[in-house]
Amino acid sequence: MDRLLQSIKIGVNDKIYVKDPESSSLGKRIIEDSIIMIHDMGFDKFTFRKLGDRIGSNESSIYRYFESKHKLLLYLASWYWGWLEYQLVFATNSIANAGDKLGRAIEIVTQTTEEDSSFSHINEVMLNKIVIHEYSKSYLTKEVDQENKEGYFEIYKRLVGRLSEMIAAVNRKYSYPSSLASTVLEGSLHQHFLLDHFSSLTDCQEHTDPTDYFKNLVFNCLNKPNHV
Amino acid sequence: MDRLLQSIKIGVNDKIYVKDPESSSLGKRIIEDSIIMIHDMGFDKFTFRKLGDRIGSNESSIYRYFESKHKLLLYLASWYWGWLEYQLVFATNSIANAGDKLGRAIEIVTQTTEEDSSFSHINEVMLNKIVIHEYSKSYLTKEVDQENKEGYFEIYKRLVGRLSEMIAAVNRKYSYPSSLASTVLEGSLHQHFLLDHFSSLTDCQEHTDPTDYFKNLVFNCLNKPNHV
DNA sequence: GCAAATATAATAGTAATACTATCATAACAT
DNA sequence: ATGTTATGATAGTATTACTATTATATTTGC
């Protein structure tokens, strides 16, 4: 990706944080290092105290940015989906043919994040792995309905909506565009997880990856099996 | 389901528990009431202390059966998948035609559990909801590879394997039978979750349910779109 | 350049969690 | 009646996920 990314800002719902972490250097270190730590030790073992120790700051200062580690996870996930949405729109915007557009969209949302844009403090490669391993925990809670009402999942829902519309544009008669879009997004995370931990449960490997699988799946569902 | 269920025992890996909960009445109450409590309050807020209070037993006694609440979740999930596997085999065993067999299999694994068999202390309706809301938490951990080696996910893997073979039997040329099988099982849980909490992300409702969606999806992938 | 405002740090404290350890008692089997 | 096993009661521990308070930097306005 190019330098445009340097200047765009992902618009995370401001109710997710107490103070915008993009507004200070401490905030940026909280984001940068929490990504590394959650990636390395997992969300469950990650604590604000450990993060404070690592960045040479105090636990209480971190609470000035996020009221809980759950909110921090919501923030990281929202940022990731916003970033992916940007990639999606950027890469598909100029494609006129609906089938080509959808094919490109599936590539964007299912492929492994390979490169850190290295323009920001955010390591997208690690963040992608965090989303694969931890995203479900952000909504598999008793508070999900309340938090959904407060808009904490807006970006993700918008992304599913975009994919759903691209699916519908290819075949208006297909009955399940939203279910298929949510299956591709969630299923992609799951296939990548299986690849790492349960390889017998997936056919994806070096030569066939989740992208191939999902393109085949989606275009077969839409009765355009030879499109890509 | 019939009385056969009364006498079969689901063979959960015996490394998951310290003492077999099926071997005593306290053990059975632990299972019975933990299902109700996890269903009602969610796995995160559930504790052995609260369970002890509820069943009039002591926290320390519960630890004689399960060394952690994580192991209890693994037990409940294994039991559920074993039970579902039994349903699957029972319902599809006598079907000769590969397409019919697969269709029935998809119905079994994607439909909402509607009836408590009421032969055992286990409420399958609640357990199904627990699996929808909590199953991911049993493997989204840093210990997953170790626990996988110890066989804690055997039954689930066997179930994916069975479904995968049924898929392959319908179309030997299809390249992704395992990925598709895992997508159906995991995706079904996800669609049921969306139905409850993010209805805008699914097309499943009263008249089209996850079963319809996944039958359409699978048979389209296998190029037998008119089979069911 | 200085005071006021704001941001961050340090320290302490709390209720709950997820256990472990020890000892006592109840039930059950021979 | 005795020994064995299961369960219960109590206490204790390290950690977690915070909150509260006070002190010290740092920045900003004038």
Side-chain angles (χ1 to χ4, degrees):
Chain A
M1 269 296 138
D2 63 46
R3 285 169 186 279
L4 265 177
L5 279 175
Q6 196 167 15
S7 52
I8 63 144
K9 201 199 161 194
I10 306 294
V12 173
N13 183 329
D14 63 13
K15 276 186 247 161
I16 289 183
Y17 47 76
V18 181
K19 177 177 176 177
D20 184 358
E22 290 294 322
S23 71
S24 74
S25 82
L26 175 59
K28 285 174 190 160
R29 267 184 300 145
I30 288 172
I31 299 304
E32 178 169 15
D33 286 65
S34 68
I35 288 171
I36 297 165
M37 291 184 86
I38 294 172
H39 175 268
D40 291 351
M41 66 175 60
F43 183 69
D44 300 342
K45 296 199 176 66
F46 166 82
T47 70
F48 280 0
R49 181 174 295 260
K50 291 173 186 167
L51 175 60
D53 289 351
R54 180 185 166 106
I55 65 181
S57 181
N58 197 274
E59 195 188 6
S60 61
S61 303
I62 299 165
Y63 278 101
R64 294 249 164 56
Y65 287 83
F66 294 99
E67 67 188 19
S68 65
K69 72 173 189 165
H70 176 245
K71 287 280 182 86
L72 171 60
L73 181 60
L74 288 172
Y75 180 90
L76 295 177
S78 284
W79 195 97
Y80 176 79
W81 294 120
W83 176 79
L84 197 63
E85 183 189 29
Y86 179 85
Q87 311 275 115
L88 178 78
V89 172
F90 191 84
T92 60
N93 191 42
S94 60
I95 305 175
N97 178 274
D100 293 343
K101 199 184 192 91
L102 177 58
R104 188 78 189 99
I106 296 171
E107 286 170 9
I108 299 288
V109 301
T110 64
Q111 75 203 347
T112 306
T113 303
E114 303 268 9
E115 276 182 56
D116 178 8
S117 77
S118 65
F119 289 122
S120 74
H121 50 291
I122 295 183
N123 182 322
E124 290 91 4
V125 176
M126 283 191 184
L127 187 51
N128 172 246
K129 301 229 180 253
I130 290 177
V131 170
I132 289 169
H133 286 77
E134 319 288 355
Y135 182 52
S136 306
K137 296 172 190 170
S138 76
Y139 59 81
L140 294 178
T141 67
K142 278 286 160 184
E143 296 77 32
V144 61
D145 295 330
Q146 181 56 35
E147 295 188 345
N148 185 25
K149 259 186 211 155
E150 291 179 25
Y152 299 167
F153 304 100
E154 274 315 306
I155 300 180
Y156 182 70
K157 285 158 72 176
R158 207 167 61 211
L159 183 61
V160 174
R162 283 186 192 274
L163 195 57
S164 173
E165 288 199 12
M166 290 184 195
I167 287 168
V170 171
N171 182 347
R172 290 281 165 206
K173 289 188 180 154
Y174 181 65
S175 304
Y176 314 100
S178 295
S179 289
L180 188 56
S182 57
T183 297
V184 170
L185 279 173
E186 163 65 21
S188 172
L189 299 182
H190 191 60
Q191 291 296 312
H192 283 290
F193 183 84
L194 295 181
L195 215 39
D196 280 355
H197 302 288
F198 292 92
S199 57
S200 70
L201 304 189
T202 175
D203 304 284
C204 301
Q205 271 141 28
E206 317 81 44
H207 294 297
T208 56
D209 60 12
T211 301
D212 298 327
Y213 163 64
F214 282 108
K215 279 167 108 172
N216 174 285
L217 184 142
V218 169
F219 285 105
N220 270 300
C221 282
L222 301 177
N223 296 310
K224 316 272 180 191
N226 302 314
H227 186 84
V228 182
Chain B
M1 269 295 139
D2 62 49
R3 285 169 185 281
L4 265 177
L5 278 174
Q6 196 167 14
S7 54
I8 64 145
K9 199 197 162 194
I10 305 295
V12 173
N13 184 328
D14 63 12
K15 276 188 245 158
I16 289 183
Y17 47 76
V18 182
K19 177 178 176 176
D20 184 358
E22 290 295 323
S23 71
S24 74
S25 81
L26 176 60
K28 285 174 191 161
R29 267 185 299 146
I30 288 171
I31 300 304
E32 178 169 14
D33 286 66
S34 69
I35 288 171
I36 298 165
M37 289 183 86
I38 295 171
H39 175 268
D40 291 350
M41 66 175 57
F43 183 70
D44 299 340
K45 295 197 176 67
F46 167 82
T47 71
F48 281 179
R49 181 172 294 261
K50 289 174 187 168
L51 175 60
D53 288 350
R54 180 186 167 104
I55 65 180
S57 180
N58 198 273
E59 193 187 6
S60 62
S61 303
I62 299 166
Y63 278 101
R64 294 238 167 63
Y65 287 84
F66 294 100
E67 68 190 13
S68 65
K69 72 173 190 163
H70 176 245
K71 287 278 182 84
L72 171 60
L73 181 60
L74 288 172
Y75 179 90
L76 295 177
S78 285
W79 195 96
Y80 176 79
W81 296 119
W83 175 80
L84 198 63
E85 185 190 28
Y86 179 85
Q87 312 275 116
L88 179 77
V89 173
F90 191 83
T92 60
N93 191 42
S94 60
I95 305 175
N97 177 274
D100 293 343
K101 200 184 191 89
L102 177 59
R104 188 78 188 99
I106 297 171
E107 286 170 9
I108 298 287
V109 302
T110 63
Q111 74 203 348
T112 305
T113 303
E114 302 269 7
E115 276 183 55
D116 178 8
S117 77
S118 64
F119 289 122
S120 73
H121 48 292
I122 295 182
N123 183 322
E124 290 91 3
V125 176
M126 282 190 184
L127 186 52
N128 171 246
K129 301 229 180 251
I130 289 176
V131 170
I132 290 169
H133 285 80
E134 318 289 357
Y135 183 53
S136 306
K137 296 172 189 168
S138 76
Y139 59 81
L140 294 178
T141 68
K142 277 286 159 186
E143 296 77 31
V144 61
D145 294 330
Q146 181 56 35
E147 296 188 345
N148 185 23
K149 261 186 209 153
E150 293 180 24
Y152 300 166
F153 304 100
E154 276 315 305
I155 301 181
Y156 182 71
K157 285 157 73 176
R158 209 166 61 211
L159 184 61
V160 174
R162 283 186 193 275
L163 195 57
S164 173
E165 289 198 13
M166 290 184 197
I167 287 167
V170 171
N171 182 346
R172 291 278 166 209
K173 291 188 176 151
Y174 180 64
S175 304
Y176 314 99
S178 294
S179 288
L180 188 56
S182 58
T183 298
V184 170
L185 278 173
E186 164 65 22
S188 171
L189 298 183
H190 192 58
Q191 291 296 312
H192 282 289
F193 183 83
L194 295 181
L195 214 40
D196 280 354
H197 302 288
F198 292 93
S199 56
S200 71
L201 303 188
T202 175
D203 305 285
C204 302
Q205 273 140 25
E206 316 84 42
H207 296 298
T208 57
D209 60 13
T211 300
D212 297 328
Y213 164 63
F214 281 109
K215 280 167 106 172
N216 174 286
L217 183 142
V218 170
F219 286 105
N220 271 300
C221 281
L222 302 177
N223 296 310
K224 316 270 180 192
N226 303 313
H227 185 82
V228 181

